[in-house]
Amino acid sequence: MVGIIITGHANFALGMMSAIKLVFGSPESLKIVNFGEEDSTEVLENNIKTAIHELKECDGLLCFTDIAGGTPFQVASRLSIEEAEMRVISGTNLPMLLGVLSERDGMDLHELAEYALEVGREEVKEFTFITYDDDGADESEDGGI
């Protein structure tokens, strides 16, 4: 099974984990690493290294971060080269994480990373007001989503 690390600024990881627990309970092989305003880059790095070590028995790691180019992304990316077989994805959203958790048993690290990117993109949507024609048929192409 691919291990998962979620990290980001402030309580991003904790918030994602809270939502995940509501849907999935407490998934195995998933660690969160928050990056609080009082934390140094060294503290973040040590905390991510700890998560990597705790997931060492997994078949690779997938690390989700909040912002591309942000400190959590930079640290995780560097550690993916130095410490472990790990893919790093930024722009994390909840549908992406839920999809990965539901599908990770049947995929290897690289398949799962590609799946995460696909789901993440597909689930970003804007509400559209639905209009109806004179016969009451929905005129929108996507049902309002």
Side-chain angles (χ1 to χ4, degrees), residues 48 52 61 73-88:
I48 294 175
I52 290 169
L61 301 174
F73 177 82
Q74 290 179 28
V75 170
S77 296
R78 187 176 70 253
L79 292 175
S80 74
I81 296 167
E82 299 171 357
E83 298 287 328
E85 181 182 9
M86 181 168 72
R87 298 271 304 261
V88 180

Side-chain angles (χ1 to χ4, degrees), residues 1 15 26 47 59 78 91 113 118 144:
M1 174 182 294
S26 296
N47 291 341
D59 300 321
R78 187 176 70 253
E118 179 183 325

Side-chain angles (χ1 to χ4, degrees), residues 11-40:
N11 291 319
F12 173 81
L14 182 62
M16 288 293 178
M17 187 62 166
S18 176
I20 288 167
K21 282 184 177 181
L22 186 64
V23 176
F24 276 97
S26 296
E28 62 181 291
S29 302
L30 187 154
K31 301 292 178 185
I32 64 168
V33 178
N34 288 312
F35 180 49
E37 62 182 82
E38 72 284 347
D39 293 334
S40 67

Side-chain angles (χ1 to χ4, degrees), residues 79-138:
L79 292 175
S80 74
I81 296 167
E82 299 171 357
E83 298 287 328
E85 181 182 9
M86 181 168 72
R87 298 271 304 261
V88 180
I89 295 176
S90 70
T92 302
N93 60 45
L94 187 57
M96 174 191 292
L97 290 171
L98 296 176
V100 163
L101 288 168
S102 66
E103 298 296 327
R104 71 176 165 161
D105 285 340
M107 295 186 194
D108 68 24
L109 172 61
H110 304 293
E111 291 169 328
L112 195 59
E114 294 306 314
Y115 177 75
L117 292 168
E118 179 183 325
V119 170
R121 283 186 206 101
E122 288 177 0
E123 290 298 321
V124 174
K125 304 198 185 286
E126 177 183 16
F127 168 77
T128 305
F129 184 73
I130 301 172
T131 57
Y132 296 91
D133 64 17
D134 292 337
D135 296 324
D138 178 353

Side-chain angles (χ1 to χ4, degrees), residues 39-57:
D39 293 334
S40 67
T41 302
E42 292 76 27
V43 167
L44 175 65
E45 182 173 335
N46 287 334
N47 291 341
I48 294 175
K49 282 182 179 180
T50 298
I52 290 169
H53 178 73
E54 291 173 354
L55 297 170
K56 67 182 175 194
E57 300 301 320

